[in-house]
Amino acid sequence: QVQLVESGGGLVQAGGSLRLSCAASGGAFSNHAMGWFRQARGKGREFVARISWSGDFTHYADSVKGRFTISRDNAKNTADLQMNSLKPEDTAVYYCAAHYGNNWYDLSEYTYWGQGTQVTVSS
């Protein structure tokens, strides 16, 4: 039901920062946990971060802990990903996804996706 649109990707030097935003419409945004995922060229989808519907709980992949921060603003229907200390291995298409199901911690229940935004980190 919900439609998602990512923005904020681009080209950045290693060590730099980007902030990605996911704008939601067509659904009750505040009722859904949200996640960020990425897919590098030639590789499968990788979990990056997730946040509960209330924003009280977050979880991160080990590869981005201490560098990335997920947040949400239910009044604006947005979920953001602040990315600091970027590395070339962070280069990927980044997707946001909405959770539908019984357990927000079940990654297989993040089933509604945006179109993705490209992040490229140069060395």
Side-chain angles (χ1 to χ4, degrees), residues 62-83:
D62 288 343
S63 59
V64 306
K65 280 183 178 177
R67 300 189 298 119
F68 291 11
T69 303
I70 189 171
S71 61
R72 68 187 300 155
D73 186 338
N74 288 344
K76 297 181 179 179
N77 292 342
T78 57
D80 289 359
L81 185 70
Q82 178 66 46
M83 305 185 294

Side-chain angles (χ1 to χ4, degrees), residues 17-36:
S17 298
L18 285 173
R19 188 177 185 91
L20 307 183
S21 184
C22 176
S25 63
F29 177 78
S30 62
N31 290 345
H32 300 282
M34 298 294 296
W36 282 95

Side-chain angles (χ1 to χ4, degrees), residues 44-113:
R45 186 191 69 179
E46 178 186 18
F47 165 75
V48 175
R50 58 180 172 166
I51 187 167
S52 64
W53 70 268
S54 65
D56 291 339
F57 304 98
T58 59
H59 179 235
Y60 298 91
D62 288 343
S63 59
V64 306
K65 280 183 178 177
R67 300 189 298 119
F68 291 11
T69 303
I70 189 171
S71 61
R72 68 187 300 155
D73 186 338
N74 288 344
K76 297 181 179 179
N77 292 342
T78 57
D80 289 359
L81 185 70
Q82 178 66 46
M83 305 185 294
N84 298 327
S85 301
L86 283 162
K87 305 174 181 179
E89 51 262 46
D90 295 319
T91 295
V93 177
Y94 283 71
Y95 300 90
C96 67
H99 173 264
Y100 284 80
N102 297 325
N103 305 303
W104 79 279
Y105 51 83
D106 186 348
L107 295 178
S108 71
E109 294 183 352
Y110 291 78
T111 54
Y112 288 79
W113 301 86

